[in-house]
Amino acid sequence: MSASVSRYLGKLWPSTLRARLFLILFAGLAIAYGLSFSILFIERYMSAKAVMLGTLENDLATSIAILNRLPANERADWLDRLSRGNYRLVLGPGIAGVPDVSGRGAEIAGKIEEAVGHRFPLRVESIPGDGRRLQGHLTLSDGSPLTIDVTPTGVMPIAEWLPYVFAIQMALLVVCTWLAVRQAIRPLGDLAAAADALDPNRKGPPLRETGPSEVAHAARAFNAMRDRIAHYLEERVQILAAIAHDLQTPITRMRLRADMADGSPERDKLVHDLGEIERLVQDGIAYARSAHGNGEKISRIDLASFIDSIAYDYQDTGKAVTVLGVVQGTASTKPHALRRILSNFIDNAVKFAGAAEISVERRSEGDIVITVLDRGPGIPEDMLEAAMQPFFRLEQSRNRETGGSGLGLAIAQQLAAAIGGLVRLYNRAGGGLAAEITIR
């Protein structure tokens, strides 16, 4: 039972921090305001009630004493003078009623008894059909009946304007609570937006270091973190560049010595291994530079000329690379980065399928999608995402002739992020792989 109630309450509880803070603050302030109003109302009610009952006792004691001393023939002339707003004196037995056993009736009866001083027999009854009206029946000293018709007035009548004031106060409470929540939540929204837009490769505007001291401190810490990340990435590129430079020299010397040696199977293997090491170093440097970004500027290109030039370069070397359909329009991008991305796609397609096809599609929202298609073996569905990771290879022999270094697609993905694009791999119907880059 408790678990089901907890689940139900969990569904009612707002999911956003803004709504939760607003609900907590508003509920707390509304309850506190309601308690203060209730306490004040009760205190005023009790004070007014005590005054009313005290006045009733004193006035009745005076009125009854006067009537008791007056001659019977003069009492009728004094009834209106001695009556008050909350009671009226009537000569005679009054209206037949029923005994009043309520707390209110007992309280008023007690005040009437105190007023008459227990000198006259008293009976307090409630009038049928009028729940607020009471009558006290007593007999004066000369045996004349006297009825005290009591109609208690409202202790503290509510002014007509009070509900409007209460509505204005509640509206003001809602506005102030919303402003307080907005003031508290807005820095979190700015921080989340800055985190989503964080790109150490681009020098964007820093997060504003204004507002309360805690918010300003968090903004300064975020800006410092972004600068440190950019510095670390720059250091990584510099370290890899230095390693590549230092490796190039001994590799070159070893290649020269191998070329000067007599022809032998061992020499050919050594030259092949040196070439593999050199290509691996170059791929690592290319990946590091693509991860850090480059200084290439965005320019507008003619898509037809650009795609055709890539296809012709491969065709000149005897590779089966063709363009599907008619390519039209222009695009704003980084040409060298885009060429590198498409070259990596085409290299993989030619390696595994022997041929590649390039298609260009302009979608209704303005995005340009360039897809490289092949009819090779494809990639298992559960490995498509992992194929974009650095050094991931489907072929586990580590042979570069069959599996490569495993950096081509990772480099393409990094370069796509640098130009504001998105890379996606999917298997084609009927076999083969499609690698697409979307330029927004």
Side-chain angles (χ1 to χ4, degrees):
M1 181 65 180
S2 59
S4 60
V5 172
S6 299
R7 287 194 297 269
Y8 178 74
L9 294 177
K11 293 179 180 179
L12 295 179
W13 187 243
S15 59
T16 62
L17 180 61
R18 183 189 302 273
R20 291 182 180 182
L21 287 179
F22 179 85
L23 183 60
I24 292 173
L25 289 177
F26 179 76
L29 292 174
I31 292 173
Y33 177 77
L35 288 175
S36 300
F37 183 82
S38 301
I39 292 173
L40 180 62
F41 181 86
I42 293 172
E43 190 274 333
R44 291 186 60 185
Y45 175 83
M46 295 176 65
S47 299
K49 181 179 178 182
V51 171
M52 185 200 74
L53 291 178
T55 303
L56 176 66
E57 177 184 351
N58 295 331
D59 291 346
L60 273 177
T62 303
S63 300
I64 293 172
I66 292 174
L67 288 176
N68 189 53
R69 292 177 179 275
L70 286 173
N73 58 350
E74 296 181 7
R75 291 171 181 169
D77 298 333
W78 282 82
L79 291 178
D80 291 338
R81 302 177 189 177
L82 297 177
S83 296
R84 296 291 184 268
N86 53 357
Y87 70 86
R88 185 170 58 89
L89 298 175
V90 180
L91 294 176
I95 303 174
V98 296
D100 191 314
V101 295
S102 65
R104 180 177 66 101
E107 191 173 14
I108 295 177
K111 292 298 179 182
I112 296 176
E113 289 178 355
E114 292 178 6
V116 301
H118 304 286
R119 292 177 297 169
F120 309 104
L122 177 67
R123 184 179 77 258
V124 178
E125 295 177 340
S126 176
I127 303 302
D130 191 345
R132 299 179 63 249
R133 189 176 172 188
L134 299 173
Q135 284 191 349
H137 307 279
L138 57 86
T139 303
L140 298 178
S141 299
D142 60 356
S144 301
L146 177 67
T147 298
I148 306 170
D149 196 329
V150 181
T151 305
T153 58
V155 176
M156 190 173 59
I158 298 178
E160 295 181 357
W161 48 265
L162 187 58
Y164 299 100
V165 173
F166 181 77
I168 294 174
Q169 289 176 330
M170 295 305 295
L172 183 62
L173 184 61
V174 170
V175 172
C176 292
T177 303
W178 179 80
L179 289 175
V181 171
R182 182 174 180 269
Q183 189 71 15
I185 295 299
R186 185 169 57 180
L188 291 178
D190 295 341
L191 184 62
D196 289 337
L198 178 62
D199 187 356
N201 300 324
R202 299 178 182 177
K203 189 63 176 179
L207 190 62
R208 291 181 300 174
E209 300 177 1
T210 57
S213 58
E214 296 84 359
V215 175
H217 178 71
R220 286 194 296 270
F222 180 84
N223 291 331
M225 179 191 69
R226 184 178 64 175
D227 293 338
R228 286 196 301 270
I229 292 174
H231 178 68
Y232 293 155
L233 290 176
E234 185 177 357
E235 279 189 347
R236 183 179 70 172
V237 173
Q238 293 176 351
I239 291 173
L240 288 176
I243 293 175
H245 179 271
D246 292 343
L247 286 176
Q248 289 290 348
T249 302
I251 290 174
T252 302
R253 287 200 305 264
M254 294 172 67
R255 182 184 292 276
L256 289 174
R257 292 173 181 172
D259 290 338
M260 295 174 60
D262 296 334
S264 63
E266 287 73 13
R267 172 187 172 279
D268 295 338
K269 292 180 182 179
L270 178 60
V271 171
H272 182 273
D273 291 341
L274 290 174
E276 184 176 345
I277 294 173
E278 188 173 11
R279 287 191 298 271
L280 184 59
V281 170
Q282 291 174 353
D283 287 345
I285 294 299
Y287 174 75
R289 288 176 177 171
S290 66
H292 185 66
N294 53 55
E296 184 182 1
K297 303 297 182 182
I298 294 178
S299 59
R300 184 171 295 275
I301 61 173
D302 180 75
L303 286 173
S305 302
F306 183 78
I307 298 298
D308 287 340
S309 66
I310 295 177
Y312 292 155
D313 289 343
Y314 279 93
Q315 291 171 4
D316 290 342
T317 59
K319 304 291 179 60
V321 177
T322 58
V323 180
L324 300 178
V326 178
V327 181
Q328 296 178 341
T330 61
S332 295
T333 184
K334 297 180 179 181
H336 294 295
L338 182 58
R339 180 180 289 271
R340 179 66 184 271
I341 294 171
L342 295 178
S343 297
N344 284 342
F345 291 166
I346 295 172
D347 288 342
N348 285 336
V350 171
K351 178 185 296 183
F352 294 103
E357 298 172 332
I358 308 174
S359 71
V360 180
E361 176 188 1
R362 186 180 293 273
R363 294 179 177 170
S364 57
E365 58 270 20
D367 294 347
I368 299 173
V369 180
I370 305 175
T371 309
V372 177
L373 307 145
D374 65 57
R375 286 300 181 183
I379 298 177
E381 292 291 337
D382 58 344
M383 295 185 179
L384 283 173
E385 185 176 353
M388 305 299 298
Q389 301 301 317
F391 301 105
F392 177 84
R393 303 191 326 166
L394 293 174
E395 199 276 324
Q396 300 296 325
S397 66
R398 311 304 299 174
N399 185 349
R400 283 183 53 90
E401 298 299 330
T402 58
S405 62
L407 289 174
L409 291 177
I411 293 173
Q413 187 176 43
Q414 295 284 6
L415 290 174
I419 65 175
L422 180 66
V423 170
R424 184 170 75 100
L425 298 179
Y426 61 92
N427 290 306
R428 301 176 62 187
L433 185 70
E436 69 176 28
I437 166 73
T438 301
I439 303 173
R440 295 189 172 90

